[in-house]
Amino acid sequence: MALWFDDLHVGLSFTSTTHTLSAEEIVAFARQYDPQPFHLDDEAARDTLFGGLAASGWHTAAISMKLLVGDGAPFAGGIIGSGGELVWPRPTYPGDTLRVVWEITELTPSRTRPDRGMVKVRMETRNQRNEIVQVFSPRLVVPCRPQS
Amino acid sequence: MALWFDDLHVGLSFTSTTHTLSAEEIVAFARQYDPQPFHLDDEAARDTLFGGLAASGWHTAAISMKLLVGDGAPFAGGIIGSGGELVWPRPTYPGDTLRVVWEITELTPSRTRPDRGMVKVRMETRNQRNEIVQVFSPRLVVPCRPQS
């Protein structure tokens, strides 16, 4: 699957495969990038907002990206974004099974470059209870189908 | 250093230590979380917007978090945020030396919980040429100094 800008429409949506997080993975990521007690140790996390060992938000974000591009990036040219609003409504815990549900919310042809367009996407990361653990709303650049 | 909400003021700023990214690190992170050609292979990245091997934005974000909490989280209770606006104005390349410069932009005591406040922070990640490669503007929850 590799969609060009021409192939897209507002409302187009897709659900990724899943990834189940282990406590070991959560701790390994946190050791490298977010070494705070509540991401490293279940005991230390008990008395915090999390109530138990929880994944770094950046770990949830990285796994969401992996799920998005895992089976091959859905858009021609890959997923290239300049950022967007990122929200973590609730934590990710050991044993949670995550999937990403994305939907196209806005399409804007480039004014200066007729060979590409801007695509606004809402990416929800949901756990096995269908609770949203992350929402990321990036703007991506997607090329138009090359003229033959 | 562990600042309570009472210790903070708008304009308070701080610069982290630095981290220099290698091509090997960029590829290792991308293999696990963002396996797109331009994050895996210099040759494959030549003809893309990046012009050469570039780090996943999520890798820049993870390293920024590491720099922020690396020497101990600056705020009492750690860095706990529910998200914010995330922007990558330019890519991170192999050999880049990153640091994080953060500044408090807003302080709001909690209306319902007198023991904590909301802190808005602007976190800029800058490279060795002082170019901004990431801006993240999260809202954090910071506890007030316990009453004795």
Short mmCIF file of all heavy atoms in Angstrom, two decimals, chain B residues 4 9 16 22 40 51 55-56 79 99-100 102 114 127:
data_model
loop_
_atom_site.label_atom_id
_atom_site.label_comp_id
_atom_site.label_asym_id
_atom_site.label_seq_id
_atom_site.Cartn_x
_atom_site.Cartn_y
_atom_site.Cartn_z
N TRP B 4 9.96 22.95 43.65
CA TRP B 4 8.53 22.86 43.91
C TRP B 4 7.81 23.95 43.11
O TRP B 4 8.45 24.90 42.64
CB TRP B 4 8.24 23.03 45.40
CG TRP B 4 8.96 22.05 46.26
CD1 TRP B 4 10.15 22.25 46.91
CD2 TRP B 4 8.56 20.70 46.58
NE1 TRP B 4 10.51 21.12 47.61
CE2 TRP B 4 9.54 20.15 47.42
CE3 TRP B 4 7.45 19.92 46.23
CZ2 TRP B 4 9.46 18.85 47.92
CZ3 TRP B 4 7.37 18.63 46.72
CH2 TRP B 4 8.37 18.09 47.55
N HIS B 9 9.09 30.65 38.63
CA HIS B 9 8.55 31.91 38.14
C HIS B 9 8.64 31.91 36.62
O HIS B 9 9.49 31.22 36.03
CB HIS B 9 9.30 33.11 38.74
CG HIS B 9 10.76 33.15 38.38
ND1 HIS B 9 11.75 32.58 39.16
CD2 HIS B 9 11.40 33.67 37.31
CE1 HIS B 9 12.93 32.76 38.60
NE2 HIS B 9 12.75 33.41 37.47
N SER B 16 20.45 22.21 29.38
CA SER B 16 20.86 20.85 29.74
C SER B 16 22.30 20.58 29.34
O SER B 16 22.94 21.39 28.67
CB SER B 16 19.96 19.83 29.02
OG SER B 16 20.33 19.75 27.65
N SER B 22 25.32 9.51 16.88
CA SER B 22 26.07 8.82 15.84
C SER B 22 25.09 8.24 14.82
O SER B 22 23.90 8.06 15.11
CB SER B 22 26.89 7.68 16.45
OG SER B 22 26.02 6.68 16.95
N LEU B 40 17.34 4.97 7.86
CA LEU B 40 18.11 3.72 7.95
C LEU B 40 19.36 3.72 7.09
O LEU B 40 20.30 3.00 7.36
CB LEU B 40 17.21 2.54 7.49
CG LEU B 40 16.03 2.19 8.39
CD1 LEU B 40 15.10 1.21 7.68
CD2 LEU B 40 16.50 1.62 9.71
N GLY B 51 17.92 14.74 2.34
CA GLY B 51 19.20 14.90 1.66
C GLY B 51 20.31 14.01 2.19
O GLY B 51 21.43 14.04 1.70
N ALA B 55 17.77 11.51 11.68
CA ALA B 55 17.15 10.82 12.82
C ALA B 55 15.62 10.93 12.74
O ALA B 55 15.08 11.95 12.31
CB ALA B 55 17.64 11.42 14.13
N SER B 56 14.94 9.90 13.18
CA SER B 56 13.49 9.97 13.39
C SER B 56 13.20 11.13 14.35
O SER B 56 13.92 11.35 15.32
CB SER B 56 13.01 8.66 14.02
OG SER B 56 11.66 8.80 14.46
N ILE B 79 9.01 14.78 35.90
CA ILE B 79 8.41 15.47 34.76
C ILE B 79 7.23 14.64 34.31
O ILE B 79 7.39 13.58 33.71
CB ILE B 79 9.41 15.59 33.60
CG1 ILE B 79 10.73 16.14 34.10
CG2 ILE B 79 8.80 16.36 32.44
CD1 ILE B 79 11.09 17.46 33.57
N ARG B 99 21.33 19.89 22.64
CA ARG B 99 21.09 20.26 24.04
C ARG B 99 19.67 20.81 24.12
O ARG B 99 19.09 21.19 23.10
CB ARG B 99 22.12 21.30 24.51
CG ARG B 99 21.96 22.67 23.87
CD ARG B 99 23.12 23.59 24.28
NE ARG B 99 22.85 24.97 23.91
CZ ARG B 99 22.90 25.45 22.67
NH1 ARG B 99 23.20 24.66 21.65
NH2 ARG B 99 22.64 26.72 22.42
N VAL B 100 19.13 20.85 25.33
CA VAL B 100 17.77 21.35 25.51
C VAL B 100 17.83 22.63 26.33
O VAL B 100 18.50 22.69 27.36
CB VAL B 100 16.89 20.30 26.23
CG1 VAL B 100 15.53 20.88 26.59
CG2 VAL B 100 16.71 19.07 25.35
N TRP B 102 15.20 25.07 28.17
CA TRP B 102 13.79 25.19 28.50
C TRP B 102 13.52 26.45 29.31
O TRP B 102 14.40 26.97 29.99
CB TRP B 102 13.24 23.94 29.19
CG TRP B 102 13.86 23.52 30.49
CD1 TRP B 102 14.78 22.53 30.66
CD2 TRP B 102 13.58 24.05 31.80
NE1 TRP B 102 15.09 22.41 31.99
CE2 TRP B 102 14.38 23.32 32.72
CE3 TRP B 102 12.76 25.05 32.29
CZ2 TRP B 102 14.36 23.57 34.09
CZ3 TRP B 102 12.75 25.31 33.66
CH2 TRP B 102 13.54 24.56 34.54
N PRO B 114 -5.09 22.33 45.94
CA PRO B 114 -4.14 23.35 46.40
C PRO B 114 -2.71 22.83 46.55
O PRO B 114 -1.80 23.62 46.78
CB PRO B 114 -4.71 23.78 47.76
CG PRO B 114 -5.59 22.66 48.20
CD PRO B 114 -6.09 21.99 46.96
N ASN B 127 20.89 22.33 18.04
CA ASN B 127 22.11 21.61 17.64
C ASN B 127 23.35 22.50 17.85
O ASN B 127 23.24 23.60 18.41
CB ASN B 127 21.98 21.09 16.20
CG ASN B 127 21.88 22.21 15.17
OD1 ASN B 127 22.29 23.35 15.42
ND2 ASN B 127 21.34 21.89 14.00
#
